[in-house]
Amino acid sequence: MPVMVPSDAAPSPTTFIDVLFGWAVSFITMLSHLLNGYLTAFFVFTGIILNLLSVSIFLRKERAGTPAIQYYLVTLTLWQTALLANAFLLYSFPNLWWGHLVSQGTYVYLYPYVYTFANTTHTGSVWIVLTLTIDRYLALCQPLKHRAIGKKRRVRRLMVAVSIMAIVFSIPRFFEVHVVLLCERSEHNCVAAIDRTELFDNRLYWTIYHVILAMVFVTLLPCLILFALTLRISIALRSAIAKRKSLCAPNSDIDTRCKSMKSSRYNSSRKDHKSNIMLVLVIAKFLVSDILPTVIDVLEHLVGQSAFMRSPLASLFVDISNFLIVLNCSSNFWVFFVWGKRFRRSCRKCIKSTHIGACIYDMAQWNTDSEVSLCAPSSFTTVNVTKAYGSTERSFRYKRNMELIVSRTDDTSSTTNPSRT
């Protein structure tokens, strides 16, 4: 009997560990299904709609003559919209339709094309953001060079060249996977399945293309350059703000003059400052979303692909990194909307140009006007009161003196011209 005690007690820790491991695997599977399915689908559809709206607004502003920076934004938005569409086809739709990622069936015939174009859109997005960051660095830190380089025609050619290079760089991805037919006993009972090619398993190709070229041109080195340039741009913006404040000391008459100044030079510098902050936010957001995929790519090269893909936790990290990329590609509109005054104005005009948008806008304006007319003075009265009365005692005295002058003038005119009465 004493010998049976260890044998009876031994399975209990193993059983508990197995239950805990099974619960963790089921939780990871549920979380991956939620990320790849519903959340990705929501941000894909909203992101595509908002990105197309952003492109239409940028193209409308292009007709009136706009800065060359919008070529970067339009190209980046188009690449990110294509990335969202590929993410939906590669991850979201299989999870919503079948409940998991599929490796067999008719749907896998799309995988070689979607897999290639997903890597192409990611590479193009990285390179466009990198060129945008270099452009902002030159504009803030080396303005003389930026005047010679940052012309519209050159920026258009640069965007076309970067897009073509991204497509050429991603062509080998198409030859890494292919569709094969799995037949059981007869040739009539065959199922299409996705499989890797011999090129993917070639060690020399993997070392050169996936390790060296990918880390130099797509993942690690661009991420480090983006981080360094974004830090340098942020320092330049902070120094510009400090220099502007030093020119106008606070709590002085000079500060009041600077705040009330309406010259074109002051307004243009203020707009440029806000646009630079907006672009830095776009770059920083992209950098944050691209850090985790870069770390995962480095870990996959260090650990090995076979061992990395067998880990459920590694698969969850891959799903989280893919979702962060989708979230980044679908949220640029809100950065443009919050920090771009001209963008908000153009967005309002674009919405009012449609029949449904005009109806919604008119309803909102009608509700606002009704509230003002019932609970507040009219707009004409409000403007006059705002101009006549200020927040200081001096403005009240000015208003009182003006009323006395007007009353005296009326009395004088009435006494001199009795016929008018």
Side-chain angles (χ1 to χ4, degrees):
M1 288 296 294
V3 180
M4 296 297 296
V5 173
S7 61
D8 291 336
S12 57
T14 306
T15 305
F16 176 75
I17 293 175
D18 291 340
V19 171
L20 185 61
F21 181 76
W23 179 84
V25 170
S26 62
F27 176 76
I28 291 173
T29 304
M30 181 189 67
L31 187 59
S32 298
H33 176 69
L34 182 64
L35 289 175
N36 291 328
Y38 298 100
L39 291 178
T40 299
F42 173 77
F43 285 104
V44 161
F45 283 107
T46 57
I48 289 176
I49 294 172
L50 295 178
N51 286 347
L52 294 178
L53 179 60
S54 301
V55 171
S56 65
I57 291 172
F58 287 139
L59 293 179
R60 284 190 176 190
K61 293 170 68 176
E62 171 65 22
R63 298 174 184 174
T66 54
I69 198 67
Q70 290 190 4
Y71 291 110
Y72 293 100
L73 298 178
V74 169
T75 311
L76 177 63
T77 305
L78 291 176
W79 275 115
Q80 290 183 343
T81 304
L83 193 149
L84 291 174
N86 282 275
F88 177 77
L89 294 175
L90 196 60
Y91 300 108
S92 183
F93 181 76
N95 275 277
L96 293 176
W97 191 261
W98 291 285
H100 56 84
L101 297 177
V102 295
S103 59
Q104 295 180 358
T106 310
Y107 190 75
V108 299
Y109 283 103
L110 291 175
Y111 276 1
Y113 305 96
V114 176
Y115 169 74
T116 304
F117 203 56
N119 287 278
T120 304
T121 52
H122 181 253
T123 303
S125 300
V126 172
W127 289 359
I128 296 298
V129 171
L130 186 60
T131 54
L132 174 62
T133 309
I134 295 174
D135 180 270
R136 289 299 88 195
Y137 169 75
L138 294 176
L140 292 172
C141 301
Q142 299 180 7
L144 296 179
K145 290 183 179 180
H146 183 262
R147 289 181 181 178
I149 297 175
K151 296 181 179 180
K152 291 184 180 181
R153 187 174 299 176
R154 293 183 178 179
V155 173
R156 284 199 299 262
R157 294 175 181 176
L158 179 62
M159 292 296 97
V160 173
V162 169
S163 301
I164 293 175
M165 287 190 297
I167 295 173
V168 173
F169 183 82
S170 303
I171 286 178
R173 299 275 187 175
F174 182 78
F175 303 98
E176 293 180 358
V177 294
H178 64 150
V179 179
V180 297
L181 294 177
L182 300 179
C183 302
E184 295 180 355
R185 294 182 179 180
S186 61
E187 297 181 356
H188 299 285
N189 191 13
C190 297
V191 179
I194 192 72
D195 194 11
R196 300 173 182 172
T197 60
E198 296 179 356
L199 181 64
F200 190 87
D201 296 329
N202 191 339
R203 193 172 186 83
L204 180 62
Y205 168 78
W206 177 268
T207 303
I208 295 176
Y209 186 77
H210 280 268
V211 178
I212 298 176
L213 295 180
M215 293 180 68
V216 170
F217 293 104
V218 182
T219 56
L220 185 59
L221 185 60
C223 189
L224 295 176
I225 295 175
L226 284 174
F227 178 78
L229 292 181
T230 305
L231 184 62
R232 182 68 182 87
I233 292 171
S234 302
I235 295 174
L237 287 175
R238 289 176 63 89
S239 63
I241 295 173
K243 188 175 182 180
R244 183 178 300 173
K245 290 182 178 180
S246 65
L247 294 176
C248 298
N251 298 326
S252 64
D253 295 335
I254 300 177
D255 183 62
T256 306
R257 293 174 185 175
C258 291
K259 288 182 179 180
S260 61
M261 187 167 51
K262 301 298 182 182
S263 62
S264 59
R265 182 179 300 177
Y266 178 75
N267 292 331
S268 62
S269 63
R270 188 176 180 182
K271 291 179 180 178
D272 292 339
H273 179 69
K274 287 186 176 181
S275 63
N276 286 325
I277 293 177
M278 179 187 70
L279 296 174
V280 168
L281 289 176
V282 172
I283 297 168
K285 184 167 61 66
F286 181 87
L287 182 62
V288 170
S289 67
D290 207 57
I291 286 177
L292 186 58
T294 303
V295 173
I296 290 175
D297 188 73
V298 173
L299 289 177
E300 183 179 0
H301 295 325
L302 294 177
V303 176
Q305 187 181 14
S306 59
F308 185 83
M309 295 302 295
R310 286 196 301 266
S311 174
L313 191 60
S315 300
L316 179 61
F317 284 153
V318 171
D319 296 333
I320 294 175
S321 66
N322 293 333
F323 178 72
L324 287 178
I325 293 175
V326 169
L327 188 62
N328 168 63
C329 295
S330 61
S331 58
N332 282 338
F333 173 84
W334 302 111
V335 179
F336 301 150
F337 188 82
V338 172
W339 286 92
K341 186 177 181 179
R342 293 180 61 189
F343 186 85
R344 288 197 301 270
R345 190 185 303 117
S346 301
C347 183
R348 183 171 61 250
K349 291 180 180 179
C350 183
I351 293 174
K352 289 174 64 177
S353 63
T354 61
H355 181 69
I356 300 176
C359 293
I360 295 174
Y361 184 81
D362 291 338
M363 291 175 62
Q365 291 297 111
W366 181 79
N367 291 331
T368 304
D369 293 339
S370 63
E371 290 177 359
V372 170
S373 62
L374 291 176
C375 304
S378 62
S379 58
F380 179 76
T381 307
T382 305
V383 171
N384 286 338
V385 171
T386 304
K387 290 183 178 179
Y389 294 96
S391 58
T392 60
E393 186 179 358
R394 182 179 180 182
S395 60
F396 286 101
R397 292 178 180 176
Y398 177 77
K399 174 63 177 176
R400 188 177 302 171
N401 292 332
M402 290 298 295
E403 290 177 351
L404 291 175
I405 292 172
V406 171
S407 62
R408 290 175 182 175
T409 305
D410 294 337
D411 295 336
T412 306
S413 60
S414 61
T415 55
T416 56
N417 296 324
S419 60
R420 293 179 58 183
T421 59

